[in-house]
Structures are given as C-alpha cells and as structure tokens.
Amino acid sequence: MNGFSYRRGELFAEEVPVAEIAAVAGTPVYVYSAGAVRERFRAYAGAFADLPVLFCYAVKANPHLAILRLLSAEGAGADTVSGGEIARALAAGVPPSRIVFAGVAKTDGEMRLGLHHRILQFNVESLEELERLDAVAREADTRAPVAIRINPDVAAGSHDKISTGRRGDKFGVPIEEAVEAYERAAALPGIEPVGLHLHIGSQIAELAPFARAYRRAVELWRDLRTRGIALERIDFGGGFGIRYREEAPPDPGALAAMVRELTAGTGCRLIFEPGRALVGEAGILVSRVIYRKETRAGRYLVVDAGMHTLMRPALYDAWHDIFSVREPPPGTPLLTMDVVGPICESSDILGRDRRLPALGRGDLIAVGATGAYGAAMVSNYNSRPRPAEVLVEGGRWAVIKPRVEPSAQFADEIVPPWLAAPEGSDRAGGSHSDAGD
Ligand code: LLP
C-alpha cells in the first residue's frame, strides 16, 4: 500500500477524499499516509529482524514532528545533520540513545548539544572535526562516541548531485586514510571510537553499489580489529531508492540478505539511515489549477505549486508522476502539456510533456512520491504561501502544519529606523549605531 488510490472516481488518501482535504486545508498541500510510512518501516524492520540492527530515520527527508513521532514509536532512531534536527528529534520523543549526528560542519555548540544529551554517536567527517570534538568533549568532561565517516570511493549510480561516496565528493575521510584517522581517534582522550560510518548517496536503485561499499567497510573493520581497534558497530548510511517512474529498487529482503552475508561473523551492531525509502512514496502534493494556457508554442497547466513547493524537478530534473484528483473516466482523451508553477523562472516546471485530461481552472492535481525532500525543501521564494501539511490515518486526518501566509513570512523582517517608516507601520527596529544611546 502506498496509501493513495482512486475510489468511486476520485483520489483517496487512505479513507479520506483528497478533494475534502484540499477544500479545508487549502492548496498547495502535502498529504501523508501514516499507514504507508508505518508499512515501509515494518518492511525494513521485518526483513532485518534477525540482525542486531537500528534504523535511524534520516530526519532531513521529512523533518515533521508527527513523522518523527510515528517512526520513533515504531522503534526507529534518528539520523541528524544539525543541532536543529537533534532538537526536532528530541522534541518528537526520539530517545538520545537512538540519535546519530552527521554533517560536515558541526559547530562547537552543536557538539555540546549532542554531548549534553548523550546521543548514540557522532559521525565525524574529517580529522580537524575529530580534534575539535575531542576538545569540546574534554571541556565538558566527557568522551564523545565516534564513528568516522569513510569515503569508500564508490559511484552510487544515481543523480550526480545526490552522490556522496566518490573520491572528490566533500564527504568523509578517504578510505586509504581511515586507519590513520582511527589511530588518531584512539589516541585522543575525549574520543571513544565506537563505529564506522559511510553513506554513498541517495535514490540508489541497485544493490551492487551498496554491496561494493559495504564490503569495503567490513574489510576495513576487520583490518582495524587486527590493529587493536575494535569497533562495536557499523553504520551503513541510507540511500535506498524508491519508485518514482520505472525504477525497481532492491527490496528490503534482498538488502538484508546481502548484509547478512557480508557481516556474518563480525558480531557487529548495524545501523542504517533510510530517509526517502520510509516516507517518499507515502506522500503526495496536491495543487490546484490556476489557468490553462494554450498558445501556438505550447500547452501549459498553470498550478499553484511550483519550485518553491517542490524543488526536486527544478534542481535535479527529477520525475514525479502527476495525475488528476478526479479519476478520468475510461476513454477520456488525454492531452500533452507542461505542468508549471507560478514562480517567475523558466525552471519552474513540475513536469514536462505530461499526458493529462483537459483539466481547467479549479481542478486538482496530485504530484506523486513527494513525501521525502518535498516539504523539507520548501522556500519562501516569490513570497507565496508555504504549503500546508496533512497527515491521514484511516478515516482520520489532521492539518499538521497550516499554510504559512506571506504576512507571516515577513513578520520578523525589520526596517531600520533611518528608513522612514510609513505612518502606522510597526516594522521599525533598532539601529546598531544607536547602541549605547
Ligand atoms: N545519511 C546521510 C549521511 C545522508 O547524507 C542522507 C541523505 C541520508 C542518510 C538519507 O538518504 P536517503 O535514504 O533519504 O536517500 N534532496 C535530495 C536528497 C539529498 C540526500 C542527502 N543525504 C533529493 O531530493 O533527492
């Protein structure tokens, strides 16, 4: 189940008509199926049930507290990449003992936050960061549990902009420098080397790149052990692909079989950091048609969602299915059109050359598989409302994030006093040159 299906001629999210949600919450609106998220998590947890595994959901894919809560209740931990994400995970009730913290630019403050809450593990990206973490941990009179992120030099075979494990990508320590890095880590009093980390990229639709990278990690793990550095866990990262179009990503069972074989005999605890695979197909973006524009040069469906709502098509040329919320009766003629947003940029296209019925003003469309990296990457560009978000569970649904109107987007902007504020404006703030007056 991905949570969305046509019933009686219209699109439903679980038991709720999508048109009803759009009427109440407004458009554009992201709609998530709680049942679909849970089912994805259980598919992974079930396939790996005989292995000592912890799934740390990659918060960045969809950081909403309700999603974090739901997954945490299923037993998931959180993979975080900032103090903000750690704060979210904690706010949603994820136990610190299930939180890992990655990212190339951890600040002292973020390190302190993680140490203070005694999170499970810091995934360290460089020697300089390791030295810094050592210093911060010693100041706090503690030791930081560390996994060093290695760069295994494996091409993930996915989009260039979301591949992270090739030599030359900014992430991790090159695998040939890993032994040196671990020897340094073992010598630092504020550092406790506990694991090994890697993450080779996102939306990877084949098993082979994972197997190549994981094998290198296990070999390194064994090598380190012979050198007296015994790591209790390996964190293999995330990156499991989903089906956007014709992809046939490996199923959790196939992944588990590969991992079982590669890690046999290590006695290692395993961590995975899936993001997209848990939430991507459990969400749709619902948008309303503003205009239908037909010229001799082309046919456009102009809708109220765009690159400010869903950045993936503009940023990665990503494909998302687009369909009508009212099910086209069999035999309905389909037209070829570009589905475009309201933003003043030519790249603001949700889908090119789509086959859709002759929709018009007021009709609703749904953009598929947008539960991951959709709402997470929303922007205020062009001062349009930020989309609402809705969670559906069976016949129940709730607005979990109301639309953010432009007035709220500029509510914290301050016009300095030397720019005369118009009568009645309350936007004037203090000036730095006034300090001390
Ligand atoms: N772990 C680490 C260290 C990561 O950097 C990422 C994603 C994940 C886990 C989760 O990867 P996933 O399982 O979701 O593939 N905005 C892009 C995706 C960027 C992914 C960045 N890192 C997109 O919309 O395709």
Side-chain angles (χ1 to χ4, degrees), residues 58 60-61 79 81 102 149 162 164 197 199 201-203 237-240 273-277 312 316 372-373 377:
K60 65 172 82 64
D79 160 44
V81 289
R149 176 169 181 177
I162 52 176
T164 52
H197 177 232
H199 170 78
S202 199
Q203 185 51 18
F240 312 135
E273 304 170 346
R276 187 189 322 258
R312 303 192 73 257
Y316 315 116
Y373 306 110
M377 295 169 74

Side-chain angles (χ1 to χ4, degrees), residues 268-349:
C268 249
R269 188 173 167 200
L270 310 175
I271 298 176
F272 292 91
E273 304 170 346
R276 187 189 322 258
L278 300 184
V279 295
E281 289 178 77
I284 58 169
L285 168 63
V286 181
S287 178
R288 203 173 284 281
V289 176
I290 306 289
Y291 293 115
R292 183 168 57 188
K293 173 172 171 176
E294 279 195 54
T295 69
R296 284 192 206 105
R299 184 183 293 119
Y300 303 94
L301 195 66
V302 184
V303 301
D304 62 4
M307 63 190 288
H308 59 312
T309 332
L310 177 67
M311 211 193 263
R312 303 192 73 257
L315 197 55
Y316 315 116
D317 293 319
W319 173 282
H320 288 265
D321 281 336
I322 299 177
F323 41 98
S324 166
V325 166
R326 209 171 341 105
E327 185 177 20
T332 304
L334 300 180
L335 306 170
T336 301
M337 60 189 84
D338 289 353
V339 180
V340 303
I343 300 297
C344 301
E345 298 232 14
S346 296
S347 55
D348 184 28
I349 296 175

Side-chain angles (χ1 to χ4, degrees), residues 131-186:
E131 305 277 349
R132 196 60 223 147
L133 183 57
D134 169 59
V136 173
R138 278 188 290 120
E139 270 163 35
D141 213 11
T142 185
R143 290 180 84 201
V146 159
I148 295 179
R149 176 169 181 177
I150 56 154
N151 182 323
D153 191 20
V154 168
S158 66
H159 193 284
D160 176 55
K161 289 186 183 168
I162 52 176
S163 292
T164 52
R166 300 160 299 188
R167 213 186 152 73
D169 289 326
K170 74 176 177 183
F171 299 98
V173 172
I175 191 156
E176 67 273 16
E177 295 170 32
V179 168
E180 199 185 320
Y182 272 101
E183 281 169 350
R184 182 74 190 125

